[in-house]
Amino acid sequence: MSESNPEPAANTGAAARGASPFPPVRAVSLAAPLRWLAAGVSDLERAPLAGMAYGTAFALMGWLVWLVFRHAYQYTTALTAGFLLVGPFVCTGLYDISRRIERGETVRLADTVAAWRANLGAFSLFALALTIIMLIWARASLVTFALFFSTGMPTLTNFLARVASPEHWDFIVTYFAVGGLFAALVFAISVVSVPMMLDRGTDTVVAALTSVRALLANPGPLALWALLIVLVIGMGFATLFIGLVVAAPVVGHATWHAYRDLVGPASEG
């Protein structure tokens, strides 16, 4: 469990929390994301083989993105977005590893692979929601291409020229604004939702709304957390995906500690 003791965030309707399924959310300091990363590194050091097994799975997904880029690059961004969209779900095993470490239990990879079965209905619904968002983003991505390349899908050279040239700022702004909107939506509903479903058996709606509440209570720290995730995973991408073997489990373990800091027990309500 994280060493910090964040203060409970203000929460309207707290007096009526008696029968509410929603747990309290806490306010954390701006430095909290750095502490979560450090805790993630520590967890990976304590269970390196299990953690890096999941990291290897992420690296393989990265190489799949690269293969698609070589043969159908216009789908690369959509597939990359999908890679990030399903990340919280794939990381369930990493959350379970951190939970076992926290409890002082023995960590075995085989015991964590099917951790999602403990709350199958909620995990399935959440995975469906992420899949729908991913498919909508894939369509939005292609529509954006179509709007700015009316003569057909561009060649790789033309695409890179547009992205690199400030003359095509309208394409750049539109494309990244659309992508950013979907990324923000996924981040908002998944900050703590999957660890919470694993740890407390919470249903999908309560977990997603708790995640949004945590974000609203901590916009600054969680904006920094989002940036750190992009930077760490980005470094994994920049090393031909080999770095994901370490980067992905560190972020996964750190997310568990973010959940433990941000969501308090019902007794705090």
Side-chain angles (χ1 to χ4, degrees):
M1 186 172 180
S2 300
E3 296 179 359
S4 63
N5 185 24
E7 295 296 327
N11 189 0
T12 59
R17 192 188 301 281
S20 173
F22 295 100
V25 296
R26 297 164 170 160
V28 298
S29 70
L30 190 60
L34 297 176
R35 187 174 62 250
W36 301 337
L37 272 182
V41 172
S42 176
D43 282 358
L44 181 59
E45 290 175 343
R46 296 175 68 177
L49 295 181
M52 287 192 291
Y54 286 101
T56 300
F58 274 96
L60 292 174
M61 292 168 62
W63 285 317
L64 175 61
V65 171
W66 172 246
L67 288 175
V68 171
F69 177 80
R70 291 180 60 188
H71 299 289
Y73 70 91
Q74 64 268 28
Y75 294 102
T76 301
T77 304
L79 186 59
T80 302
F83 174 92
L84 298 176
L85 289 175
V86 301
F89 185 72
V90 177
C91 280
T92 303
L94 292 168
Y95 306 149
D96 192 39
I97 291 172
S98 289
R99 182 173 65 166
R100 290 172 184 272
I101 291 174
E102 182 179 284
R103 294 175 174 178
E105 299 175 358
T106 300
V107 175
R108 290 186 293 267
L109 176 62
D111 295 333
T112 68
V113 171
W116 47 269
R117 289 185 179 177
N119 196 359
L120 179 58
F123 280 117
S124 298
L125 183 57
F126 190 77
L128 177 61
L130 290 182
T131 300
I132 292 172
I133 294 173
M134 179 185 70
L135 292 175
I136 295 174
W137 160 237
R139 177 58 60 182
S141 175
L142 291 177
V143 168
T144 304
F145 270 100
L147 289 174
F148 289 91
F149 295 92
S150 57
T151 57
M153 295 307 296
T155 64
L156 178 58
T157 301
N158 289 341
F159 171 69
L160 292 177
R162 285 220 172 190
V163 172
S165 173
E167 297 178 3
H168 302 294
W169 61 268
D170 52 348
F171 170 73
I172 297 171
V173 170
T174 302
Y175 198 79
F176 285 98
V178 172
L181 177 63
F182 282 93
L185 173 60
V186 171
F187 182 72
I189 66 173
S190 63
V191 171
V192 299
S193 53
V194 179
M196 184 175 170
M197 288 188 290
L198 172 68
D199 188 43
R200 307 188 186 200
T202 310
D203 67 66
T204 308
V205 175
V206 170
L209 291 178
T210 300
S211 187
V212 173
R213 290 170 54 229
L215 177 60
L216 293 177
N218 299 277
L222 288 181
L224 175 59
W225 178 227
L227 177 60
L228 289 174
I229 291 174
V230 171
L231 290 176
V232 173
I233 298 300
M235 287 189 289
F237 273 71
T239 56
L240 296 178
F241 310 108
I242 297 174
L244 289 176
V245 174
V246 172
V250 165
V251 170
H253 291 314
T255 299
W256 170 263
H257 292 278
Y259 152 70
R260 296 295 278 157
D261 263 7
L262 290 166
V263 182
S267 59
E268 286 188 8

